[in-house]
Amino acid sequence: MEIDLSDPQVLRDPFSAYGKAREQAPVVRLVTPGFGHMWAVTRHANAKTLLSDPRVALTEDTYLPLQVPEHCRKYLRTMQQTEGEEHARLRRLVSPAFTARRAAAFRPRIEQIVDRLLDDLDDGTGRVDFLTRLAQPLPMDVITELVGIPVDRRDDWRAYGAAIAAGQGRTFVAAIPEIMRDAETAVAARTGDPGPDLLSELIGVPDRLTATELVTLVWHLVLAGQTPAVLVANAVELLLTHPAHLAALRADPGLAPTAVEEMTRWAGPQLLTLPRWTREPIEIAGTPIEAGQPVTVALAAVNRDPRAFPDPERLDFGRPAGGHLGYAYGPHFCLGAALARVQVEVAVTALLKRFPGIALAAAERMPDPGAWRLRTLEVAL
């Protein structure tokens, strides 16, 4: 079976398209103009197996084709592109700074950031673009606070976040040298003058990261840290179009952790994982795949697989948390998952408390075959 990723119907309703494919076959072919084809796993159990299979690797040159200055190129190979022992070493050094406990300890600062953004949200018109006023600035404000970027440099970093959130176009490529320059400056500053921030902590660990690895990590945080922007926006749009769920969360803010997990399962930012390439011939659920073939996981299918989730098409804030693959799985499970969860929980609950009459004014989605994201999200306060 094939799915044409340029098909307007697939772009408009990917969950139905992938759901039909999942019930027909555990592995399907995706066709995209300009890219060719890649294989997509549609069922939950097979997806977990694939994401843990060392015979299928992430490419090492995801960002290398970008036209950036030569001195920046050594930073383009992020931890996301490493495998095996190299990846395990980097993960071991960095993971302690991204635990659920550390994210919970950082929650009060996230609450302060959200409160400040909410203070500025109402511009007096009663109708604002939630994306540009809160969802997009939030993760970059969190990252700069986490890393210890000086306050007078944070407007520039907000601009970097906006460039990345816009997609990998010219603005994104043009921002890369500036991001890396400021990342170099931040690493140099904290090496000479440590502070109470994540970057200083990572500089001081035994068997520490090299200067190049530290700069790469900072820029990777900027890149990967934009996920909460999409998830916060999706969650708000989802709540404003599901009145019963909105009322339930308003009545009991303690539902936030499970609600955020369920919204991530049901309408997460990614429709497909980053492509992996087979290192040798393999077989997935009876489908033979040759060496050198691109393979992805159709998250839009696996996170609604009835084999893994009872009544998966129902949005259920009482569903036991966990199980979805919105943050991937295996060695490359998202390092910042705990921090992302806290950001979304804080943003959604604070927004509903501050603006009890909030309503959806207008929303438009991007026609993106790989991501479920909004172009605009206007809300009436």
Side-chain angles (χ1 to χ4, degrees), residues 97-153:
F98 291 94
T99 62
R101 178 179 294 181
R102 297 298 296 273
F106 201 62
R107 179 185 284 265
R109 186 65 192 107
I110 295 174
E111 291 172 342
Q112 293 173 0
I113 292 170
V114 169
D115 283 342
R116 176 172 50 76
L117 290 170
L118 290 174
D119 289 341
D120 297 335
L121 186 62
D122 190 353
D123 60 4
T125 66
R127 177 167 167 160
V128 298
D129 184 348
F130 182 80
L131 276 181
T132 59
R133 300 293 293 277
L134 194 146
Q136 291 173 358
L138 173 60
M140 189 51 61
D141 286 6
V142 170
I143 289 167
T144 54
E145 182 73 17
L146 190 70
V147 174
I149 301 299
V151 173
D152 61 357
R153 297 293 300 153

Side-chain angles (χ1 to χ4, degrees), residues 136-145 147-165 175-187 199 214-223 226:
Q136 291 173 358
L138 173 60
M140 189 51 61
D141 286 6
V142 170
I143 289 167
T144 54
E145 182 73 17
V147 174
I149 301 299
V151 173
D152 61 357
R153 297 293 300 153
R154 293 186 183 182
D155 283 347
D156 290 337
W157 285 72
R158 271 195 177 192
Y160 303 155
I164 290 172
I176 289 176
E178 298 178 11
I179 296 172
M180 293 178 178
R181 178 202 65 208
D182 278 5
E184 288 174 331
T185 301
V187 170
L199 188 53
L214 285 164
V215 172
T216 301
L217 175 65
V218 172
W219 114 265
H220 189 204
L221 286 174
V222 175
L223 182 72
Q226 301 313 301

Side-chain angles (χ1 to χ4, degrees), residues 13 19 48 57 128 141 183 188 193 249 254 317 328 353 356 367:
D13 184 9
K48 290 175 68 175
V128 298
D141 286 6
D193 183 21
L249 187 55
F317 287 177
K353 182 179 180 180

Side-chain angles (χ1 to χ4, degrees), residues 23-227:
E23 297 316 307
Q24 293 185 43
V27 181
V28 299
R29 281 166 57 100
L30 306 182
V31 180
T32 298
F35 182 83
H37 85 274
M38 60 181 166
W39 299 96
V41 176
T42 63
R43 296 178 185 171
H44 192 273
N46 302 124
K48 290 175 68 175
T49 299
L50 175 73
L51 294 174
S52 302
D53 192 334
R55 299 173 300 167
V56 185
L58 287 159
T59 178
E60 295 187 357
D61 61 357
T62 300
Y63 303 110
L64 292 183
L66 297 177
Q67 299 302 310
V68 299
E70 185 62 33
H71 71 276
C72 294
R73 299 184 74 77
K74 64 182 177 181
Y75 303 129
L76 290 180
R77 186 168 177 267
T78 69
M79 189 164 64
Q80 200 167 37
Q81 278 78 52
T82 61
E83 301 283 353
E85 292 183 5
E86 181 185 13
H87 180 81
R89 170 185 165 269
L90 293 172
R91 191 91 181 189
R92 175 174 54 80
L93 292 174
V94 171
S95 289
F98 291 94
T99 62
R101 178 179 294 181
R102 297 298 296 273
F106 201 62
R107 179 185 284 265
R109 186 65 192 107
I110 295 174
E111 291 172 342
Q112 293 173 0
I113 292 170
V114 169
D115 283 342
R116 176 172 50 76
L117 290 170
L118 290 174
D119 289 341
D120 297 335
L121 186 62
D122 190 353
D123 60 4
T125 66
R127 177 167 167 160
V128 298
D129 184 348
F130 182 80
L131 276 181
T132 59
R133 300 293 293 277
L134 194 146
Q136 291 173 358
L138 173 60
M140 189 51 61
D141 286 6
V142 170
I143 289 167
T144 54
E145 182 73 17
L146 190 70
V147 174
I149 301 299
V151 173
D152 61 357
R153 297 293 300 153
R154 293 186 183 182
D155 283 347
D156 290 337
W157 285 72
R158 271 195 177 192
Y160 303 155
I164 290 172
Q168 293 188 22
R170 292 183 202 168
T171 305
F172 168 70
V173 174
I176 289 176
E178 298 178 11
I179 296 172
M180 293 178 178
R181 178 202 65 208
D182 278 5
E184 288 174 331
T185 301
V187 170
R190 284 306 185 226
T191 299
D193 183 21
D197 53 72
L198 177 144
L199 188 53
S200 297
E201 178 181 334
L202 291 174
I203 289 170
V205 298
D207 187 25
R208 63 188 185 182
L209 300 167
T210 67
T212 297
E213 289 169 341
L214 285 164
V215 172
T216 301
L217 175 65
V218 172
W219 114 265
H220 189 204
L221 286 174
V222 175
L223 182 72
Q226 301 313 301
T227 297

